[in-house]
Amino acid sequence: PMTMIRVLATVALLGAGTLGFVSSPRGREDVALSARAKGAARQMRQKKGKTPSPVRIGDTVYVNAGDDKGKTGTVMRMDKTKGRVFIEGLNMKTKHEKAQAGNPGRIVQQEGPIHLSNVNLLDPDTNKPTRIYMNRDDKRNPIPMAKRSGKPVVGAEDKKKDKAADK
């Protein structure tokens, strides 16, 4: 009965065209969802929100895929919902701005997004790209650690604290 309620609720959301009949291993005809309906149901179950990542604004990262492969740069801003970073001077895109109220039109170069899977943090010792794993300190706070050297990666928050201490 509960399965039938779910099927009817999904059909109501997606329309009657998603309903199909499939024979079961027991030989009887069962009501089943099509691939489209299953995908929609999966999307409704998935959490929407921020992509977890050890990369923070101000970190220096290495680009390991794409047109800018092999280059390093500083993260300027992040789009956590899409899991993308904007790196200073990399993945440059051309934008044409229209003339408005006395300002002439112009062509502007700006940074484009790069997916988080295409960047690596730099190891604090060797200054080479490394993977990251999470460790915990005595107070159970997560600490990102470099796989290459096993040392903690200095995050943007720590950099700010260091700069404040220098002043």
Side-chain angles (χ1 to χ4, degrees), residues 107-158:
I107 298 174
V108 179
Q109 292 282 332
Q110 62 185 25
E111 289 84 0
I114 299 176
H115 197 267
L116 281 168
S117 65
N118 295 332
V119 298
N120 284 85
L121 283 173
L122 293 181
D123 190 289
D125 275 355
T126 61
N127 214 23
K128 291 184 179 179
T130 182
R131 291 173 295 155
I132 301 297
Y133 70 97
M134 299 306 279
N135 204 352
R136 297 204 177 261
D137 62 3
D138 297 335
K139 296 180 182 177
R140 307 290 298 157
N141 296 325
I143 301 171
M145 306 288 281
K147 242 339 188 180
R148 187 179 289 264
S149 65
K151 296 197 175 177
V153 177
V154 179
E157 296 85 11
D158 297 332

Side-chain angles (χ1 to χ4, degrees), residues 35-165:
R36 179 177 165 215
K38 285 180 183 175
R42 190 179 314 113
Q43 280 183 344
M44 290 190 308
R45 285 193 306 267
Q46 285 178 346
K47 289 182 179 179
K48 301 290 180 190
K50 298 177 181 177
T51 305
S53 169
V55 178
R56 300 282 181 258
I57 294 173
D59 286 347
T60 304
V61 294
Y62 171 86
V63 179
N64 56 23
D67 292 340
D68 293 318
K69 180 177 180 175
K71 297 179 182 175
T72 59
T74 305
V75 176
M76 294 176 15
R77 64 186 175 106
M78 294 183 70
D79 185 354
K80 289 187 179 182
T81 57
K82 293 183 180 178
R84 296 181 182 272
V85 292
F86 293 83
I87 302 170
E88 189 174 354
L90 299 183
N91 197 24
M92 298 303 286
K93 304 293 180 189
T94 303
K95 182 180 176 185
H96 296 261
E97 289 187 355
K98 193 174 181 181
Q100 293 180 0
N103 295 332
R106 60 187 184 145
I107 298 174
V108 179
Q109 292 282 332
Q110 62 185 25
E111 289 84 0
I114 299 176
H115 197 267
L116 281 168
S117 65
N118 295 332
V119 298
N120 284 85
L121 283 173
L122 293 181
D123 190 289
D125 275 355
T126 61
N127 214 23
K128 291 184 179 179
T130 182
R131 291 173 295 155
I132 301 297
Y133 70 97
M134 299 306 279
N135 204 352
R136 297 204 177 261
D137 62 3
D138 297 335
K139 296 180 182 177
R140 307 290 298 157
N141 296 325
I143 301 171
M145 306 288 281
K147 242 339 188 180
R148 187 179 289 264
S149 65
K151 296 197 175 177
V153 177
V154 179
E157 296 85 11
D158 297 332
K159 291 176 188 174
K160 288 178 186 174
K161 289 176 188 174
D162 292 342
K163 285 181 183 178

